Amino acid sequence: MRRPKQILMLAALTISAVTAQTVSMAAMPDAFDMETAPSREIAVFNVRGGQVVLVEQLGGDIGFVGLGPRAMELLQTLVGEYDLSGLEVYEALGGNRNHAPAALIAEHQRRYAGNPAAMRGRPLPDVSSMAVAPMAANQSVKGQLGGAACVDGPQETFDYFTAWFNNYSGMFSGVGPLGNLGANHVSGTGIWNKGNVNVNLGSTSAGAVCVCFPEGYPGSPPKRVRVEERASQGTWVQIWSSNSLFTGAAYGYWFKGVVIRKIRLLVRDNEVHNGHAFYWAGSY
């Protein structure tokens, strides 16, 4: 059975860690917006009030998509409360371990390395009679993400900005560096000197995107930076915008939760600065 084309609600949980990949996310405005993740569907289960889809995300992470509120709450309980591996979720939903996709088996083995009893299997919850937990709230911050993210210092300014994005963890307690936040472990930083830009994140349940205009940027920063989210009907909805910006500060959005989202950051009204470099960063 194929999934319905109209998806009302999506949820995802990432349950393993891999080395970050580096990609370019910046593009000219109105450039083709490529959908990059989740990457590969490996199993689909019908549940009461929706479906649960198991996916192998970029870099090998196992994640889940929940179609419908019941499916989202079910995933929250199985992964959040029971702390099941991908293979155990597959079994709890009715899958046969002997026919499980290789990606689920590999993740299960990594998780329980050194614990043979758990590796072989443990009692799993009865999904048909299980009380599900309400969905956990997303964490997010929008606007100014750093007051001195690309200032002049002992390092070159872009190197300072890259180090701030990939290593600095003092601003948001419990979140860690924004470069490591993405659920797909894809991250990148870059220099842009063509005026307006779109910085696109692939679909993810956690990520960050920002821009920073270095000290000495000609005149003043561009008139407008905004963050948008793609809605289910395919349109982009603005979630933050500002035309009052300062050099040296990073502006954008980070989020962390269970809902798969598609986010982009736009720099606009910047044509006068074509040829002058500023910096972008993203993780998803």
Side-chain angles (χ1 to χ4, degrees):
M1 178 178 178
R2 295 188 61 83
R3 288 178 291 163
K5 191 171 183 180
Q6 180 69 19
I7 297 176
L8 300 180
M9 295 187 181
L10 298 177
L13 298 168
T14 300
I15 56 177
S16 66
V18 296
T19 303
Q21 302 177 52
T22 301
V23 298
S24 179
M25 306 169 199
M28 296 293 290
D30 303 319
F32 178 67
D33 183 23
M34 182 178 293
E35 179 68 43
T36 54
S39 56
R40 189 170 71 91
E41 179 182 297
I42 54 179
V44 181
F45 293 96
N46 293 321
V47 298
R48 187 172 61 190
Q51 288 183 318
V52 170
V53 183
L54 282 69
V55 297
E56 184 178 7
Q57 299 191 79
L58 294 179
D61 268 14
I62 301 300
F64 307 91
V65 177
L67 309 183
R70 165 69 187 186
M72 295 169 69
E73 293 167 350
L74 179 60
L75 285 175
Q76 176 72 21
T77 301
L78 291 174
V79 180
E81 290 195 7
Y82 285 91
D83 193 28
L84 300 187
S85 71
L87 179 62
E88 289 171 323
V89 172
Y90 178 84
E91 290 185 277
L93 294 176
N96 186 325
R97 177 184 283 237
N98 294 328
H99 300 105
L104 296 179
I105 296 173
E107 183 272 324
H108 185 83
Q109 291 174 340
R110 289 193 301 269
R111 170 187 284 246
Y112 293 123
N115 187 346
M119 182 87 72
R120 288 191 297 269
R122 56 176 173 163
L124 299 176
D126 180 1
V127 171
S128 64
S129 60
M130 185 174 61
V132 297
M135 286 297 294
N138 287 336
Q139 295 177 266
S140 66
V141 172
K142 57 190 175 183
Q144 184 173 313
L145 303 186
C150 61
V151 297
D152 290 328
Q155 300 172 292
E156 293 294 328
T157 306
F158 177 65
D159 292 341
Y160 187 95
F161 174 69
T162 299
W164 171 84
F165 187 72
N166 290 326
N167 301 302
Y168 183 62
S169 59
M171 194 164 182
F172 308 110
S173 177
V175 174
L178 296 181
N180 295 334
L181 186 60
N184 290 281
H185 310 285
V186 178
S187 67
T189 60
I191 300 174
W192 188 264
N193 64 356
K194 300 176 184 178
N196 294 336
V197 70
N198 291 1
V199 184
N200 302 296
L201 301 187
S203 297
T204 182
S205 57
V209 61
C210 65
V211 289
C212 193
F213 305 94
E215 292 181 354
Y217 194 72
S220 60
K223 295 181 180 178
R224 188 159 45 111
V225 171
R226 72 176 186 261
V227 177
E228 298 179 337
E229 179 169 5
R230 187 154 189 165
S232 59
Q233 68 270 29
T235 59
W236 291 93
V237 178
Q238 180 176 295
I239 58 177
W240 176 80
S241 179
S242 177
N243 59 0
S244 179
L245 308 168
F246 298 93
T247 55
Y251 294 93
Y253 185 63
W254 70 257
F255 58 98
K256 183 178 181 180
V258 296
V259 177
I260 286 184
R261 307 173 70 186
K262 180 87 170 157
I263 300 291
R264 70 180 184 182
L265 180 147
L266 309 180
V267 176
R268 291 294 184 268
D269 303 330
N270 195 43
E271 296 86 349
V272 68
H273 293 318
N274 194 1
H276 300 296
F278 60 92
Y279 311 134
W280 62 266
S283 65
Y284 64 87

